[in-house]
Amino acid sequence: MQIRCPMILQFLFLVLLIAAAGLFAKNISKIRRNILLGRDLDLSDQKGLRWKNLLTIAMGQSKMATKPIPFLMHLCLYVGFVIINMELIEIVIDGLAGTHRVFAPMMGSLYNFLIASFEWLAFLVLFACVVFISRRNLIKIKRFNGTEMTKWPKSDANYILVIEILLMSAFLTMNAADAKLQFLNVEHYIKAGSFPVSAFLQNILPNDAASLIAIERTCWWFHIIGIFAFLNYVPYSKHLHILFAFPASYYGSLNAKGKINNMQSVSNEVKAMLDPSFVPVQTESPGRFGAKDATDLNWKNLLDSYACTECGRCTAMCPANQTGKLLSPRKIMMDTRDRITEIGKNVDLHGKDYNDNKTLLDHHITREELWACTTCNACTEACPINLDPLSIIIELRRYLVMEESAATASLNTMQSNIETNGTPWKFANSERANWTN
Amino acid sequence: MEFKVPTMAQMIADGETPEILFWVGCAGSFDERAQKITKDIAKILHHVGLKFAILGTEESCTGDPAKRAGNEFLFQMQAMANIELLNAYDIKKIVTGCPHCFNTIKNEYPELGGNYEVIHHTQLIQGLIDEGKLKASNGEFFKGKKITYHDPCYLGRANGVYEAPREILQQLDADLVEMKRCKTNGLCCGAGGAQMFKEPEKGDKDINIERVEEALSLSPNIIAAGCPFCMTMLSDGVKHFEKENEVQVLDLAEITAKANGLS
């Protein structure tokens, strides 16, 4: 291995690497802290089934297949991302040690095969990104619009795609310049790699070694600094799903979709009411019934909100949304994430007990949205990673009804009918079996 | 009814135990349209000689609409009282005439102490067909008729029951046509989650209108349903389009009863 760049660049690389990794770790731990601001929930059961869900749903992308074209495009990005990033190991070693293509001599022809694979995948990633960016901006696809798709979420999606296009272009240009330098037998540029895609770029590059070295080095640094920067963009972006899809699908519900959780705190009270000798199961005091703010939700709800990539399949399938109501399950997820992030910032700036006089309910999610839900589970079915907007809606409704008694008048009538007659309608229970006459 | 439908209280008094409890549900008990479905379920049970009973006036709302509206207290009050009654009668197996009751008893009662084998009436009917107990001897009534089936959310997505209702229809010589939004992609009728008991939020149109529009685009003779709430919403939608003379909305129990000459 020959030393081919001055020590100062190796040092600079080390500093950038530590800064990028450190900042990323700090931001992720902040998100983890935010998620744990939610209520406790024990999901340590059925580990085997949970791993299976992680492997099939997150890793295997099984639920993406319902839409074949986005599935294939997304698969290009996903496989490309995972496999091309293997080369990062080499890039990092090269950067730290001042080497060039450090793995080439020890891997022989396997190295050529890998580099060729990376090139083809980079091409597929480029292709998919161009298709995605066109779909988002040229074709009017309903689910990419909607009230919650304001300037930032739309820009966020475009930024991600543009960054990926730039990174892959730099990667291929770098390879093209490298191949030409190898051909020119320029010192340090050992004969290594196979370049089936970037070969087409060689003609547009200059032929003198000095310019080629400048291009190759610029692209190399642009690519790696771009990756460091992107890594630190991800925690602020919907792109966080590349990481959080895994825990979200692991911790996803294992019950029939129709099951809504029973509140243990309520069971205790109801049992005590029915049987005065009842000794309640010890549970943490709920503070309030249901959720008014994001911290009243459980940590799984909050994890879901960070895992959401705003694809909008939930909203596209929601019967309320399809018929022009305000409710959008995607907005429920985004509002929850925005609010818990806001609370996290408040904790950082003003301490844990700071009250900003805002809540998830009303300041982010309106009552009209909540009451439009039919609990039909179209949203949870549509979500490619089994996120659960419905449980957030139910928690907010629970607060409205049990803490504020703020159901609509007709729902109050329904409830009082159940209380007095045992049926939601105004019939006398004595008439229940009249149909048998 | 031309035969006596026994209550649990009567059966116990006579020293008998039923093979299955028929949980009628509030809609099936009180709603005039749904009562017809209830009667047909009872006729089917009677026809195949299954020993069944109802709870009669001892039955009470499962608590589904209260729970989904957010009133967990009221839900659990209802649930625990029902469970106490069902356990006192030592009930093992329940068939429900409503997917909401089915879902609640099956999925939400066990944690509160109510463990039963719960099936929806479409599953019971499918089982009876498989056993050869229901023959669709009068099936030519449906021959060549175009039928589309609307998946109730609480039967389909909520509990994964998509095939039993369709197998009932396939047994007839009818022409089963699927709406684009069916099975896992089925569109709600608009009544779930306590919406049945309130006015919808403002929007471009009501959900049941959207759904019936989709069904009518297939020009069916019959829209088949398996839920009393869906029945109300779909029937209202068909009336909205003034198609009630051309398109019938029928529950699978009614279709089965008709096909077997029971109604």
Side-chain angles (χ1 to χ4, degrees):
Chain A
M1 288 311 102
Q2 295 150 306
I3 303 300
R4 53 178 307 276
C5 54
M7 285 293 277
I8 181 80
L9 286 178
Q10 284 168 252
F11 181 71
L12 178 66
F13 186 90
L14 179 68
V15 170
L16 285 173
L17 178 67
I18 292 172
L23 192 59
F24 178 72
K26 185 170 167 252
N27 279 323
I28 291 295
S29 70
K30 216 171 241 184
I31 290 173
R32 184 174 179 276
R33 189 273 319 267
N34 289 353
I35 289 170
L36 294 176
L37 290 174
R39 281 188 185 161
D40 203 11
L41 176 71
D42 183 7
L43 294 176
S44 60
D45 62 330
Q46 303 190 63
K47 293 201 167 61
L49 193 52
R50 293 188 182 281
W51 276 109
K52 186 177 155 258
N53 282 348
L54 184 148
L55 292 173
T56 54
I57 295 166
M59 200 167 274
Q61 315 252 304
S62 56
K63 287 188 84 183
M64 286 292 288
T66 51
K67 286 183 186 290
I69 292 172
F71 167 65
L72 286 174
M73 295 290 135
H74 184 266
L75 196 65
C76 292
L77 291 182
Y78 169 61
V79 174
F81 170 79
V82 173
I83 295 180
I84 298 172
N85 275 348
M86 289 184 349
E87 201 184 342
L88 269 187
I89 303 168
E90 185 182 52
I91 291 175
V92 168
I93 294 174
D94 282 347
L96 290 173
T99 48
H100 185 64
R101 296 194 182 274
V102 67
F103 290 150
M106 58 188 99
M107 291 174 88
S109 59
L110 177 65
Y111 187 82
N112 291 354
F113 171 77
L114 283 176
I115 296 294
S117 313
F118 297 158
E119 286 227 331
W120 281 115
L121 287 165
F123 174 74
L124 289 176
V125 168
L126 265 177
F127 174 70
C129 285
V130 170
V131 172
F132 276 164
I133 215 163
S134 320
R135 267 164 59 88
R136 278 193 179 263
N137 298 286
L138 301 177
I139 309 169
K140 277 263 170 268
I141 292 179
K142 196 162 174 262
R143 72 180 162 97
F144 294 143
N145 295 289
T147 50
E148 68 276 22
M149 296 310 281
T150 49
K151 202 160 173 265
W152 163 247
K154 283 192 172 179
S155 306
D156 185 18
N158 283 328
Y159 294 159
I160 296 161
L161 293 166
V162 168
I163 293 169
E164 284 174 4
I165 288 172
L166 290 176
L167 289 177
M168 288 304 107
S169 304
F171 177 74
L172 289 172
T173 311
M174 173 185 89
N175 277 357
D178 195 316
K180 271 188 125 166
L181 288 162
Q182 291 179 25
F183 183 73
L184 293 172
N185 286 319
V186 175
E187 202 193 350
H188 306 307
Y189 288 92
I190 52 165
K191 290 251 183 300
S194 157
F195 307 99
V197 175
S198 67
F200 293 96
L201 294 173
Q202 289 182 16
N203 285 341
I204 57 167
L205 296 182
N207 291 318
D208 66 295
S211 309
L212 286 170
I213 291 173
I215 291 169
E216 193 274 337
R217 283 293 89 194
T218 308
C219 287
W220 190 92
W221 280 98
F222 179 86
H223 178 248
I224 191 64
I225 292 174
I227 286 172
F228 288 161
F230 194 37
L231 183 70
N232 280 293
Y233 175 73
V234 166
Y236 298 96
S237 159
K238 80 190 195 80
H239 208 50
L240 196 56
H241 81 288
I242 61 173
L243 297 174
F244 282 32
F246 294 89
S249 56
Y250 178 87
Y251 289 116
S253 169
L254 303 175
N255 299 315
K257 281 191 186 298
K259 182 182 174 180
I260 292 177
N261 71 313
N262 292 318
M263 293 169 71
Q264 185 62 49
S265 51
V266 169
S267 302
N268 285 342
E269 299 212 11
V270 173
K271 279 181 185 159
M273 228 171 344
L274 297 173
D275 172 14
S277 66
F278 169 76
V279 183
V281 182
Q282 278 305 316
T283 52
E284 210 183 321
S285 162
R288 55 167 70 110
F289 291 115
K292 184 184 189 185
D293 208 348
T295 46
D296 300 325
L297 296 167
N298 65 48
W299 62 263
K300 169 61 172 49
N301 296 140
L302 301 178
L303 171 67
D304 279 5
S305 77
Y306 280 109
C308 174
T309 197
E310 303 165 12
C311 73
R313 292 171 191 223
C314 52
T315 294
M317 295 307 287
C318 172
N321 193 276
Q322 286 180 68
T323 54
K325 276 88 175 171
L326 276 186
L327 176 63
S328 163
R330 170 173 56 191
K331 179 175 178 292
I332 301 287
M333 304 311 290
M334 292 167 69
D335 285 345
T336 302
R337 182 194 55 209
D338 292 349
R339 177 58 188 157
I340 197 65
T341 303
E342 186 175 47
I343 292 172
K345 273 188 195 141
N346 285 338
V347 171
D348 290 337
L349 289 173
H350 310 287
K352 204 164 167 20
D353 297 318
Y354 179 77
N355 181 359
D356 63 357
N357 291 314
K358 286 188 208 161
T359 51
L360 177 61
L361 179 70
D362 295 334
H363 290 97
H364 292 262
I365 300 171
T366 62
R367 296 165 190 229
E368 186 176 337
E369 291 166 62
L370 297 172
W371 289 122
C373 176
T374 70
T375 71
C376 75
N377 270 301
C379 55
T380 64
E381 179 72 43
C383 180
I385 52 173
N386 277 1
L387 304 183
D388 188 359
L390 176 54
S391 76
I392 298 176
I393 294 171
I394 292 289
E395 286 303 331
L396 291 160
R397 279 188 178 185
R398 281 172 170 170
Y399 169 78
L400 283 177
V401 172
M402 291 194 282
E403 293 280 354
E404 283 196 1
S405 306
T408 60
S410 46
L411 283 181
N412 283 332
T413 307
M414 176 271 287
Q415 293 174 66
S416 62
N417 283 336
I418 293 179
E419 279 166 22
T420 50
N421 305 325
T423 164
W425 288 286
K426 210 170 176 55
F427 289 105
N429 206 43
S430 57
E431 293 166 18
R432 192 175 270 277
N434 283 6
W435 62 272
T436 59
N437 296 334
Chain B
M1 296 287 289
E2 50 272 32
F3 57 90
K4 193 169 159 28
V5 179
T7 63
M8 273 309 299
Q10 288 158 354
M11 273 220 167
I12 297 292
D14 296 343
E16 291 186 79
T17 45
E19 291 171 68
I20 196 162
L21 175 81
F22 175 23
W23 183 279
V24 180
C26 298
S29 300
F30 298 109
D31 180 270
E32 232 175 277
R33 178 69 190 83
Q35 280 178 346
K36 290 186 188 160
I37 304 166
T38 306
K39 286 181 190 172
D40 280 346
I41 296 173
K43 282 178 195 167
I44 292 165
L45 291 165
H46 181 72
H47 172 72
V48 299
L50 251 175
K51 201 165 163 189
F52 76 101
I54 59 170
L55 288 168
T57 55
E58 288 188 291
E59 191 184 288
S60 191
C61 174
T62 59
D64 160 84
K67 186 179 183 87
R68 278 153 185 81
N71 194 339
E72 182 75 7
F73 271 105
L74 183 52
F75 162 72
Q76 291 203 17
M77 293 285 284
Q78 289 297 116
M80 287 188 200
N82 284 327
I83 289 165
E84 198 173 62
L85 180 73
L86 291 167
N87 288 352
Y89 281 133
D90 198 22
I91 300 295
K92 299 274 186 286
K93 191 170 179 182
I94 300 173
V95 58
T96 73
C98 169
H100 294 264
C101 301
F102 166 68
N103 176 69
T104 302
I105 302 174
K106 183 174 187 283
N107 296 319
E108 289 161 4
Y109 279 18
E111 265 172 29
L112 301 172
N115 293 285
Y116 322 100
E117 185 194 339
V118 192
I119 55 171
H120 181 252
H121 69 267
T122 55
Q123 293 173 302
L124 178 93
I125 292 170
Q126 191 226 331
L128 292 170
I129 290 171
D130 291 349
E131 288 169 40
K133 289 182 179 163
L134 284 171
K135 297 214 160 52
S137 50
N138 211 11
E140 63 268 26
F141 179 82
F142 296 99
K143 198 169 178 177
K145 291 221 166 116
K146 215 185 218 187
I147 306 182
T148 189
Y149 170 66
H150 165 82
D151 285 281
C153 304
Y154 275 84
L155 196 59
R157 269 191 300 270
N159 288 291
V161 182
Y162 299 109
E163 289 315 315
R166 288 179 168 79
E167 280 172 33
I168 294 171
L169 293 170
Q170 270 149 11
Q171 214 222 2
L172 312 166
D173 267 342
D175 177 14
L176 175 59
V177 285
E178 294 287 0
M179 288 183 264
K180 189 163 173 262
R181 287 175 284 193
C182 67
K183 299 184 183 172
T184 53
N185 291 329
L187 181 74
C188 176
C189 72
Q195 297 290 340
M196 184 71 191
F197 308 97
K198 61 184 270 298
E199 287 304 311
E201 273 42 55
K202 64 175 189 299
D204 304 332
K205 63 166 104 164
D206 287 347
I207 296 171
N208 66 327
I209 301 302
E210 169 86 8
R211 185 50 162 176
V212 168
E213 213 164 41
E214 184 178 10
L216 292 179
S217 73
L218 301 168
S219 322
N221 303 101
I222 296 166
I223 301 173
C227 169
F229 293 170
C230 297
M231 173 57 70
T232 303
M233 301 306 274
L234 297 172
S235 302
D236 286 353
V238 169
K239 273 179 213 143
H240 172 88
F241 290 106
E242 295 177 344
K243 293 276 183 195
E244 63 267 37
N245 295 324
E246 296 139 66
V247 183
Q248 279 183 292
V249 186
L250 293 175
D251 189 276
L252 287 160
E254 295 178 296
I255 292 172
T256 305
K258 189 99 187 158
N260 286 274
L262 304 174
S263 64

